[in-house]
Amino acid sequence: MNVSPPVNLQELVRRANALSGITLQQLANQVNITVPSSTHSAKGWAGNLLEIALGADAKNAPEPDFRKLGIELKTIPIDKNGKANESTYICIVQLDPGELKDWDTSLVKAKLNKVLWIPIEGDKDIPLSLRRIGTPVLWKPDVNEEKQLRQDWQELCDMIVMGEIDKISSSMGKYLQIRPKAANAKALTKNKNQYGETKATLPRGFYLRATFTQSIIGSLNDND
DNA sequence: GCGTGATCATAA
DNA sequence: TTATGATCACGC
């Protein structure tokens, strides 16, 4: 089955709302895909499934999933209280000072300009096939959120430009953090500093902290 | 190896 | 229990 990209925002939201409440098995049936027995060796499976079902067209390009609409799709695992289980990967950390100059042209801002969050039950005691898709949340950073994101981004990028990437810790940044993003800890990529010197380092990615994404999607149930 | 989709596993 | 650091799968 091949789902065409939604023609506009309304269409996308309508499609996403139509999935609210159904299980991953039901959605997989709709697009003729087999549900893996667990996420252990299929970590991005649910995210890919939603991309296919909603007609995302950016594939693995470093752009928002719905190119024409400028909207990024993110699934987010939540526990039984509606709380975010995990941090959220945003994009690769570029390691050339030329690409780290300006927040307004950054990959992070492009990806987070507008995000359609789709919560999915993520408790490990629920079989993958029975996990339900939640109510989508269309989000755009407000003035204060963007200010903090920009500040985190600037602080981290400044360090990279200064050639201090190896001093960056995941504990840095209020909303944004930088963590490894690679096949394994031995993977290497090139990092250029402000003087044009190049050295090999572990590839990393930008992530949103779970505490921040939690504030975006809100809590379905504060009891328990 | 790069960049997408993320979650796993264990130290603290 | 939680967050950091590590890892899995895929297309190209």
Side-chain angles (χ1 to χ4, degrees):
Chain A
M1 178 168 171
N2 221 324
V3 179
S4 58
V7 294
N8 56 34
L9 176 58
Q10 284 188 332
E11 171 68 16
L12 174 57
V13 170
R14 184 148 45 83
R15 287 184 191 179
N17 272 309
L19 306 182
S20 179
I22 71 172
T23 63
L24 292 178
Q25 177 72 68
Q26 288 173 310
L27 182 56
N29 289 347
Q30 284 182 24
V31 293
N32 199 22
I33 285 176
T34 304
V35 182
S37 55
S38 84
T39 55
H40 190 273
S41 290
K43 294 181 182 177
W45 182 80
N48 291 144
L49 175 66
L50 270 292
E51 285 190 335
I52 292 165
L54 294 174
D57 59 349
K59 302 191 176 177
N60 70 334
E63 301 170 28
D65 295 301
F66 299 96
R67 286 179 151 144
K68 195 177 166 191
L69 307 180
I71 294 178
E72 174 71 11
L73 174 68
K74 287 289 176 201
T75 58
I76 180 164
I78 57 170
D79 68 17
K80 61 182 180 346
N81 297 319
K83 199 177 160 199
N85 276 343
E86 287 280 356
S87 55
T88 299
Y89 170 69
I90 306 165
C91 62
I92 203 74
V93 178
Q94 295 158 301
L95 296 174
D96 185 320
E99 296 162 320
L100 300 172
K101 285 177 184 164
D102 183 9
W103 162 252
D104 289 318
T105 58
S106 70
L107 213 45
V108 175
K109 188 184 174 185
K111 285 268 192 174
L112 297 184
N113 177 52
K114 233 179 215 176
V115 180
L116 185 65
W117 297 94
I118 301 191
I120 298 179
E121 288 178 323
D123 285 327
K124 296 188 195 310
D125 57 356
I126 306 174
L128 190 53
S129 62
L130 298 182
R131 293 183 191 176
R132 286 172 300 171
I133 298 166
T135 304
V137 175
L138 185 63
W139 171 81
K140 182 175 179 51
D142 66 26
V143 175
N144 290 328
E145 288 169 336
E146 174 160 353
K147 193 176 167 189
Q148 184 64 52
L149 288 168
R150 178 189 203 122
Q151 190 181 314
D152 287 346
W153 182 87
Q154 194 66 60
E155 179 185 354
L156 293 163
C157 289
D158 282 351
M159 289 186 69
I160 297 171
V161 172
M162 298 288 284
E164 298 180 334
I165 190 168
D166 290 325
K167 292 183 185 170
I168 291 178
S169 147
S170 311
S171 61
M172 301 177 68
K174 187 175 177 187
Y175 295 167
L176 274 179
Q177 66 178 170
I178 285 180
R179 301 222 305 279
K181 174 59 169 155
N184 56 60
K186 289 174 182 149
L188 292 175
T189 189
K190 286 178 183 172
N191 169 217
K192 202 186 281 185
N193 69 15
Q194 61 186 332
Y195 308 112
E197 298 161 340
T198 298
K199 66 176 179 180
T201 190
L202 179 65
R204 290 154 231 239
F206 279 110
Y207 296 77
L208 287 179
R209 294 184 176 284
T211 47
F212 179 57
T213 55
Q214 174 56 33
S215 74
I216 295 170
I217 62 170
S219 151
L220 301 177
N221 183 358
D222 286 333
N223 305 319
D224 198 312

